[in-house]
Amino acid sequence: MTAPAVEDLLRELTPRVLGALVRRHGQFEDCEDAVQEAVLAATVQWPADGVPDNPYGWLVTVASRRLIDHLRSDHARRERESATATEVVPEELPDTDDTLVLLFLCCHPALTPSSQTALTLRAVGGLTTAEIARAFLVPEATMAVRISRAKQRIRAAGSSFTLPSGPEREERLRVVLHVLYLIFNEGYTASSGSELHRADLAHEAIRLTRMVHAQLRDDDEVTGLLALMLLGHARREARTTAAGDLVPLDEQDRTRWDRDLIDEGTALVKAALAGPALGPYQLQAAIAATHADADSAADTDWAQVHALYLILERIAPNPMVTLNRAIALAETEGPTAGLALLATLDGDARMAGHHRLLSVRAHLLEKTGDPAGAYEHYRRAAKATASLAEQRYLQGRAARLRPRPGGP
């Protein structure tokens, strides 16, 4: 088996192995370290020596031995060590999948969103600390501290390795979905760096969401989130030029969109919308499906897009939703109407100086025939984003409108 194939297999097995250890031994922090050591050993050995007949059992055995060795070396835990070290790894390992339990644990409310994201990618996604650090453009040491503190907080909170029940379960599931959404968004449009998107993060978010969906097929918001990711990811190849420059939606070559992902995503949207209630991910997926259904930008059903944003704005108020509704409103009622709606966001501290608000206003000002105003806002938007790809695009838009010396 090739090294990339081994890597894919290990990412698939990591949450199951970690779940088996935590369920048997407790001590999430120590178990996670032991599993990472076992995965590292497999990464080195399997490409050279071949994948064992039972890779899951191999990983559980190696990780269990590493855990026991660690406990034996810790003199402060002699009593617990004595009980744990006598346990024998059973030959018949329970074939359970604790991925969902792990996700709930990694998305514990005691953690910050950034810590939830990092721990999810490490414990459930199987990414190394170095890989996560590179994905979010921070030093490896910084990410290591973040993950370590997250595990310590989970231990201090006394969390049990079980799924919560009742209202708490529903509330925690929404946190899990939000973390997966954040991971995908960072992959879809990187917040900083030279690349517009980071395919590795987008792929990981989709993979993890598929795992959740496999266990919660009746949850319409889970289905909606997976659909939203697939429909967004379907456009990846068309979103940049060969040089890596951004291509806006209305200029994309739609023949480059991935029709298989669109078909799968559209089918999931239909299933999600058939449920008794509407949630934000279902609505966002429905909007994405409306765009995917149009053969060209001119064929987009903007009235439907606006209506969906209006519903989304009512059930999940958010300035970004209002901003996107302004774009749709401009398409149905003209740029002046869109600008009037954007003006309602000027007093929102969350949007102060945000490059999206500046760039959309620039676009609409350009459409109203105000090149000077558009030029100024494109320039300000370019300065406000840390994404080099977005900077280049916005600077290019501004350059087309730059006032000529001696001109009117």
Coordinates of all heavy atoms in Angstrom, one line a residue, residues 106-181:
C106 N -14.6 16.6 21.9 CA -13.7 17.6 21.4 C -14.4 19.0 21.3 O -13.7 20.0 21.3 CB -13.2 17.2 20.0 SG -12.1 15.8 20.1
C107 N -15.7 19.0 21.1 CA -16.4 20.2 21.0 C -17.1 20.6 22.3 O -18.2 21.2 22.4 CB -17.5 20.1 19.9 SG -16.8 19.9 18.3
H108 N -16.4 20.3 23.4 CA -17.0 20.6 24.8 C -17.2 22.1 24.9 O -16.3 22.9 24.5 CB -16.0 20.0 25.8 CG -16.6 20.0 27.2 ND1 -16.7 21.1 28.0 CD2 -17.1 18.9 27.9 CE1 -17.2 20.7 29.2 NE2 -17.5 19.4 29.1
P109 N -18.2 22.5 25.6 CA -18.5 23.9 25.7 C -17.5 24.7 26.6 O -17.4 25.9 26.5 CB -19.9 24.0 26.4 CG -20.1 22.6 27.0 CD -19.4 21.7 26.1
A110 N -16.6 23.9 27.3 CA -15.6 24.6 28.1 C -14.5 25.1 27.2 O -13.6 25.9 27.7 CB -15.0 23.6 29.1
L111 N -14.4 24.7 26.0 CA -13.3 25.1 25.0 C -13.8 26.3 24.2 O -14.9 26.4 23.9 CB -13.0 23.9 24.2 CG -12.6 22.6 24.9 CD1 -12.2 21.5 23.8 CD2 -11.4 22.8 25.8
T112 N -12.8 27.0 23.7 CA -13.0 28.1 22.8 C -13.2 27.5 21.4 O -12.8 26.3 21.1 CB -11.8 29.1 22.7 OG1 -10.7 28.3 22.3 CG2 -11.5 29.6 24.1
P113 N -13.8 28.2 20.5 CA -14.0 27.6 19.1 C -12.7 27.2 18.4 O -12.6 26.2 17.8 CB -14.7 28.8 18.3 CG -15.4 29.5 19.4 CD -14.6 29.4 20.6
S114 N -11.6 28.0 18.6 CA -10.3 27.7 18.0 C -9.8 26.4 18.6 O -9.2 25.6 17.9 CB -9.3 28.8 18.2 OG -9.1 29.1 19.6
S115 N -10.0 26.2 19.9 CA -9.5 25.0 20.6 C -10.3 23.8 20.2 O -9.8 22.7 19.9 CB -9.5 25.1 22.1 OG -8.6 26.1 22.5
Q116 N -11.6 24.0 20.0 CA -12.5 22.9 19.6 C -12.1 22.4 18.2 O -12.0 21.2 17.9 CB -14.0 23.4 19.5 CG -14.6 23.6 20.9 CD -15.9 24.4 20.8 OE1 -16.2 25.0 19.8 NE2 -16.7 24.3 21.9
T117 N -11.8 23.4 17.3 CA -11.4 23.1 15.9 C -10.1 22.3 15.9 O -10.0 21.3 15.2 CB -11.3 24.4 15.1 OG1 -12.5 25.0 15.1 CG2 -10.8 24.1 13.7
A118 N -9.1 22.8 16.6 CA -7.8 22.2 16.7 C -7.9 20.8 17.2 O -7.3 19.8 16.7 CB -6.8 23.0 17.5
L119 N -8.6 20.6 18.3 CA -8.7 19.3 19.0 C -9.5 18.3 18.1 O -9.2 17.1 18.0 CB -9.4 19.4 20.3 CG -9.3 18.2 21.2 CD1 -7.8 17.7 21.5 CD2 -9.9 18.4 22.6
T120 N -10.5 18.8 17.4 CA -11.3 17.9 16.5 C -10.4 17.4 15.4 O -10.4 16.2 15.0 CB -12.5 18.7 15.9 OG1 -13.4 19.0 17.0 CG2 -13.2 17.9 14.9
L121 N -9.6 18.3 14.8 CA -8.7 17.9 13.7 C -7.7 16.9 14.1 O -7.3 16.0 13.4 CB -8.1 19.1 13.0 CG -9.0 20.0 12.2 CD1 -8.3 21.3 11.8 CD2 -9.5 19.2 11.0
R122 N -7.2 17.0 15.4 CA -6.2 16.2 15.9 C -6.7 14.8 16.3 O -6.3 13.8 15.9 CB -5.5 16.9 17.1 CG -4.7 16.0 18.0 CD -3.3 16.0 17.8 NE -2.6 15.1 18.8 CZ -1.4 15.1 19.1 NH1 -0.6 15.9 18.5 NH2 -0.9 14.3 20.0
A123 N -7.8 14.8 17.2 CA -8.3 13.6 17.8 C -9.2 12.8 16.8 O -9.1 11.6 16.8 CB -9.0 13.9 19.1
V124 N -10.0 13.5 16.1 CA -11.0 12.8 15.2 C -10.5 12.8 13.8 O -10.7 11.8 13.1 CB -12.3 13.5 15.3 CG1 -13.4 12.7 14.5 CG2 -12.8 13.7 16.7
G125 N -9.8 13.9 13.3 CA -9.4 13.9 12.0 C -8.1 13.2 11.8 O -7.7 12.9 10.6
G126 N -7.3 13.0 12.8 CA -6.1 12.2 12.7 C -4.9 13.1 12.1 O -3.9 12.5 11.7
L127 N -5.1 14.4 12.1 CA -4.0 15.3 11.6 C -2.9 15.4 12.7 O -3.3 15.4 13.9 CB -4.5 16.6 11.2 CG -5.1 16.8 9.8 CD1 -6.3 15.9 9.6 CD2 -5.4 18.2 9.5
T128 N -1.7 15.6 12.3 CA -0.7 15.9 13.3 C -0.7 17.3 13.7 O -1.3 18.2 13.0 CB 0.7 15.6 12.7 OG1 1.0 16.5 11.6 CG2 0.8 14.2 12.2
T129 N -0.1 17.6 14.8 CA 0.0 19.0 15.3 C 0.6 19.9 14.2 O 0.1 21.0 14.0 CB 0.7 19.1 16.6 OG1 0.1 18.3 17.6 CG2 0.8 20.5 17.1
A130 N 1.6 19.4 13.6 CA 2.3 20.2 12.5 C 1.4 20.5 11.4 O 1.4 21.6 10.8 CB 3.6 19.5 12.1
E131 N 0.6 19.5 11.0 CA -0.3 19.7 9.8 C -1.4 20.7 10.2 O -1.8 21.6 9.4 CB -1.0 18.4 9.5 CG -0.1 17.4 8.8 CD -0.7 16.0 8.6 OE1 -1.5 15.6 9.5 OE2 -0.4 15.4 7.6
I132 N -1.9 20.7 11.4 CA -2.9 21.6 11.8 C -2.3 23.0 11.9 O -3.0 24.0 11.5 CB -3.5 21.2 13.2 CG1 -4.1 19.8 13.1 CG2 -4.6 22.2 13.7 CD1 -4.5 19.2 14.5
A133 N -1.1 23.1 12.4 CA -0.4 24.4 12.5 C -0.2 25.0 11.1 O -0.5 26.2 10.9 CB 0.9 24.3 13.2
R134 N 0.2 24.2 10.2 CA 0.4 24.7 8.8 C -1.0 25.2 8.2 O -1.0 26.2 7.5 CB 1.0 23.6 7.9 CG 2.5 23.4 8.2 CD 3.1 22.7 7.0 NE 2.5 21.3 6.8 CZ 3.0 20.3 7.5 NH1 4.0 20.3 8.3 NH2 2.4 19.1 7.2
A135 N -2.0 24.4 8.5 CA -3.3 24.7 7.9 C -3.8 26.1 8.4 O -4.5 26.9 7.6 CB -4.4 23.7 8.3
F136 N -3.5 26.5 9.7 CA -4.0 27.7 10.2 C -2.9 28.8 10.3 O -3.0 29.8 11.0 CB -4.6 27.5 11.6 CG -6.0 26.8 11.5 CD1 -6.0 25.4 11.6 CD2 -7.1 27.5 11.2 CE1 -7.2 24.7 11.5 CE2 -8.3 26.8 11.0 CZ -8.4 25.5 11.2
L137 N -1.7 28.5 9.7 CA -0.6 29.4 9.6 C -0.2 29.9 10.9 O 0.1 31.2 11.1 CB -1.0 30.6 8.7 CG -1.4 30.2 7.2 CD1 -1.8 31.4 6.5 CD2 -0.3 29.4 6.5
V138 N 0.0 29.0 11.9 CA 0.6 29.4 13.2 C 1.7 28.5 13.5 O 1.8 27.4 12.9 CB -0.5 29.3 14.3 CG1 -1.7 30.2 14.1 CG2 -1.0 27.9 14.5
P139 N 2.7 28.9 14.4 CA 3.8 28.0 14.7 C 3.3 26.7 15.3 O 2.3 26.7 16.0 CB 4.6 28.9 15.7 CG 4.2 30.3 15.4 CD 2.8 30.2 15.0
E140 N 4.1 25.7 15.1 CA 3.7 24.4 15.6 C 3.6 24.4 17.1 O 2.8 23.8 17.7 CB 4.7 23.3 15.1 CG 4.3 21.9 15.6 CD 5.3 20.8 15.1 OE1 6.1 21.1 14.2 OE2 5.2 19.7 15.5
A141 N 4.6 25.1 17.7 CA 4.6 25.2 19.2 C 3.3 25.8 19.7 O 2.8 25.4 20.8 CB 5.8 26.0 19.7
T142 N 2.9 26.8 19.0 CA 1.6 27.5 19.4 C 0.4 26.6 19.4 O -0.4 26.5 20.3 CB 1.4 28.7 18.6 OG1 2.5 29.6 18.7 CG2 0.1 29.4 19.0
M143 N 0.4 25.8 18.3 CA -0.7 24.9 18.1 C -0.6 23.7 19.2 O -1.7 23.3 19.7 CB -0.8 24.3 16.7 CG -2.0 23.4 16.4 SD -3.6 24.2 16.7 CE -3.5 25.4 15.3
A144 N 0.6 23.3 19.5 CA 0.7 22.2 20.5 C 0.2 22.7 21.8 O -0.4 21.9 22.5 CB 2.2 21.8 20.5
V145 N 0.5 23.9 22.2 CA 0.0 24.5 23.5 C -1.5 24.5 23.5 O -2.2 24.2 24.4 CB 0.7 25.8 23.7 CG1 0.0 26.5 24.9 CG2 2.2 25.7 24.0
R146 N -2.0 25.0 22.3 CA -3.5 25.1 22.2 C -4.2 23.7 22.4 O -5.2 23.6 23.2 CB -3.9 25.7 20.9 CG -5.4 26.0 20.7 CD -5.6 26.5 19.3 NE -4.9 27.8 19.1 CZ -4.9 28.4 17.9 NH1 -5.5 27.9 16.9 NH2 -4.3 29.6 17.8
I147 N -3.6 22.7 21.8 CA -4.2 21.4 21.9 C -4.1 20.8 23.3 O -5.0 20.2 23.9 CB -3.6 20.5 20.8 CG1 -4.0 20.9 19.4 CG2 -4.0 19.0 21.1 CD1 -3.3 20.2 18.3
S148 N -2.9 21.0 23.9 CA -2.6 20.5 25.2 C -3.5 21.2 26.2 O -4.1 20.5 27.1 CB -1.1 20.8 25.6 OG -0.9 20.4 26.9
R149 N -3.7 22.5 26.1 CA -4.6 23.1 27.1 C -6.1 22.7 26.9 O -6.8 22.6 27.8 CB -4.5 24.7 26.9 CG -3.2 25.2 27.4 CD -3.1 26.7 27.1 NE -1.9 27.3 27.7 CZ -1.5 28.5 27.4 NH1 -2.2 29.3 26.6 NH2 -0.4 29.0 28.0
A150 N -6.4 22.4 25.6 CA -7.8 21.9 25.4 C -8.0 20.6 26.1 O -9.1 20.4 26.7 CB -8.0 21.8 23.9
K151 N -7.1 19.7 26.0 CA -7.2 18.4 26.6 C -7.2 18.5 28.1 O -8.0 17.8 28.8 CB -6.1 17.5 26.2 CG -6.2 17.1 24.7 CD -5.2 16.0 24.3 CE -3.8 16.5 24.2 NZ -2.9 15.5 23.7
Q152 N -6.5 19.5 28.7 CA -6.5 19.7 30.1 C -7.8 20.2 30.6 O -8.3 19.9 31.7 CB -5.3 20.7 30.5 CG -3.9 20.1 30.3 CD -2.8 21.1 30.4 OE1 -3.1 22.3 30.8 NE2 -1.6 20.8 30.1
R153 N -8.4 21.1 29.8 CA -9.7 21.7 30.2 C -10.8 20.6 30.2 O -11.7 20.6 31.0 CB -10.1 22.8 29.2 CG -9.3 24.1 29.5 CD -9.8 25.3 28.7 NE -9.1 26.5 29.0 CZ -9.4 27.7 28.5 NH1 -10.4 27.8 27.6 NH2 -8.7 28.7 28.8
I154 N -10.7 19.7 29.2 CA -11.7 18.6 29.2 C -11.5 17.7 30.4 O -12.5 17.3 31.0 CB -11.5 17.8 27.9 CG1 -12.0 18.6 26.7 CG2 -12.2 16.4 28.0 CD1 -11.8 17.8 25.3
R155 N -10.3 17.5 30.8 CA -10.1 16.6 32.0 C -10.6 17.4 33.2 O -11.2 16.8 34.1 CB -8.6 16.3 32.1 CG -8.2 15.5 33.4 CD -6.8 15.1 33.4 NE -6.0 16.4 33.5 CZ -4.6 16.4 33.4 NH1 -4.0 15.2 33.2 NH2 -4.0 17.5 33.4
A156 N -10.3 18.7 33.3 CA -10.7 19.5 34.5 C -12.3 19.5 34.5 O -12.8 19.6 35.6 CB -10.2 20.9 34.4
A157 N -12.9 19.5 33.4 CA -14.4 19.6 33.4 C -15.0 18.3 33.8 O -16.3 18.2 34.0 CB -14.9 20.0 32.0
G158 N -14.2 17.2 33.9 CA -14.8 15.9 34.3 C -15.7 15.3 33.3 O -16.7 14.6 33.7
S159 N -15.5 15.5 32.1 CA -16.4 15.0 31.0 C -16.3 13.4 31.0 O -15.2 12.8 31.1 CB -16.0 15.5 29.7 OG -16.0 16.9 29.7
S160 N -17.5 12.8 30.8 CA -17.5 11.4 30.6 C -17.6 11.0 29.1 O -18.0 11.8 28.3 CB -18.8 10.8 31.3 OG -20.0 11.4 30.8
F161 N -17.2 9.8 28.8 CA -17.1 9.4 27.4 C -18.4 8.8 27.0 O -18.6 7.6 26.7 CB -16.0 8.4 27.2 CG -15.6 8.2 25.8 CD1 -15.1 9.2 25.0 CD2 -15.9 6.9 25.2 CE1 -14.8 9.0 23.6 CE2 -15.6 6.7 23.8 CZ -15.0 7.7 23.1
T162 N -19.5 9.6 27.0 CA -20.8 9.2 26.6 C -21.5 10.3 25.9 O -21.1 11.5 26.0 CB -21.7 8.8 27.8 OG1 -21.7 10.0 28.7 CG2 -21.1 7.6 28.6
L163 N -22.4 10.0 25.0 CA -23.2 11.0 24.4 C -24.2 11.6 25.4 O -24.8 10.9 26.1 CB -24.0 10.4 23.2 CG -23.3 10.0 21.9 CD1 -24.2 9.3 21.0 CD2 -22.7 11.2 21.3
P164 N -24.3 13.0 25.4 CA -25.2 13.6 26.2 C -26.6 13.3 25.8 O -26.8 12.8 24.6 CB -24.9 15.1 26.1 CG -24.2 15.2 24.8 CD -23.5 13.9 24.6
S165 N -27.6 13.5 26.6 CA -29.0 13.2 26.3 C -29.9 14.4 26.4 O -29.5 15.4 26.9 CB -29.5 12.1 27.2 OG -29.4 12.5 28.5
G166 N -31.1 14.3 25.8 CA -32.0 15.4 25.9 C -31.6 16.7 25.3 O -30.9 16.7 24.3
P167 N -32.0 17.8 25.8 CA -31.7 19.1 25.3 C -30.2 19.3 25.2 O -29.7 20.0 24.2 CB -32.3 20.1 26.3 CG -33.4 19.3 26.9 CD -32.9 17.9 27.0
E168 N -29.4 18.8 26.1 CA -27.9 19.0 26.1 C -27.4 18.4 24.8 O -26.5 18.9 24.2 CB -27.3 18.4 27.3 CG -25.8 18.7 27.3 CD -25.0 17.9 28.4 OE1 -25.7 17.2 29.2 OE2 -23.8 18.1 28.5
R169 N -27.9 17.2 24.4 CA -27.4 16.5 23.2 C -27.6 17.4 22.0 O -26.8 17.5 21.1 CB -28.1 15.2 23.1 CG -27.6 14.4 21.8 CD -28.3 13.0 21.8 NE -27.9 12.2 20.7 CZ -28.3 12.4 19.4 NH1 -29.2 13.3 19.1 NH2 -27.8 11.6 18.5
E170 N -28.8 18.0 21.9 CA -29.1 18.8 20.7 C -28.3 20.0 20.7 O -27.8 20.4 19.7 CB -30.6 19.2 20.8 CG -31.1 20.0 19.6 CD -31.1 19.2 18.3 OE1 -31.1 18.0 18.4 OE2 -31.0 19.8 17.2
E171 N -28.1 20.6 21.9 CA -27.2 21.8 21.9 C -25.8 21.5 21.6 O -25.1 22.3 20.8 CB -27.3 22.4 23.4 CG -26.5 23.7 23.6 CD -26.6 24.2 25.0 OE1 -27.5 23.8 25.7 OE2 -25.8 25.1 25.3
R172 N -25.3 20.4 22.1 CA -23.9 20.0 21.8 C -23.7 19.7 20.3 O -22.6 19.9 19.7 CB -23.4 18.9 22.7 CG -23.3 19.3 24.2 CD -22.0 19.9 24.5 NE -20.9 19.0 24.3 CZ -20.5 18.1 25.3 NH1 -21.2 18.0 26.4 NH2 -19.5 17.3 25.1
L173 N -24.7 19.0 19.7 CA -24.6 18.7 18.3 C -24.5 19.9 17.4 O -23.8 19.9 16.5 CB -25.9 17.9 17.9 CG -25.9 17.5 16.4 CD1 -24.7 16.7 16.0 CD2 -27.2 16.7 16.1
R174 N -25.2 21.0 17.8 CA -25.1 22.2 17.1 C -23.7 22.8 17.1 O -23.2 23.4 16.2 CB -26.1 23.3 17.6 CG -27.6 22.9 17.5 CD -27.9 22.4 16.1 NE -28.7 21.2 16.2 CZ -28.9 20.4 15.2 NH1 -28.4 20.6 14.0 NH2 -29.6 19.3 15.3
V175 N -23.0 22.6 18.3 CA -21.6 23.1 18.4 C -20.7 22.2 17.5 O -19.9 22.8 16.8 CB -21.2 23.0 19.9 CG1 -19.7 23.3 20.0 CG2 -22.0 23.9 20.8
V176 N -21.0 20.9 17.5 CA -20.2 20.0 16.6 C -20.3 20.5 15.1 O -19.3 20.6 14.4 CB -20.7 18.6 16.8 CG1 -20.1 17.7 15.7 CG2 -20.3 18.0 18.1
L177 N -21.6 20.7 14.7 CA -21.8 21.1 13.3 C -21.1 22.5 13.0 O -20.6 22.7 12.0 CB -23.3 21.2 13.1 CG -24.1 19.9 13.2 CD1 -25.5 20.1 12.8 CD2 -23.4 18.8 12.3
H178 N -21.2 23.4 14.0 CA -20.6 24.7 13.8 C -19.0 24.5 13.7 O -18.4 25.2 12.8 CB -20.9 25.6 15.0 CG -20.3 27.0 14.9 ND1 -20.7 27.8 13.8 CD2 -19.4 27.7 15.6 CE1 -20.0 29.0 14.0 NE2 -19.2 28.9 15.0
V179 N -18.4 23.7 14.4 CA -17.0 23.5 14.3 C -16.6 22.9 12.9 O -15.7 23.3 12.3 CB -16.5 22.5 15.4 CG1 -15.0 22.1 15.2 CG2 -16.5 23.3 16.8
L180 N -17.4 21.9 12.5 CA -17.2 21.3 11.2 C -17.4 22.4 10.1 O -16.6 22.4 9.1 CB -18.1 20.1 10.9 CG -17.9 18.9 11.9 CD1 -19.0 17.9 11.6 CD2 -16.5 18.3 11.7
Y181 N -18.4 23.3 10.3 CA -18.6 24.4 9.3 C -17.4 25.3 9.3 O -17.0 25.8 8.2 CB -19.9 25.1 9.8 CG -20.4 26.2 8.9 CD1 -20.8 26.0 7.6 CD2 -20.4 27.5 9.5 CE1 -21.2 27.1 6.8 CE2 -20.9 28.6 8.7 CZ -21.3 28.4 7.4 OH -21.7 29.4 6.6

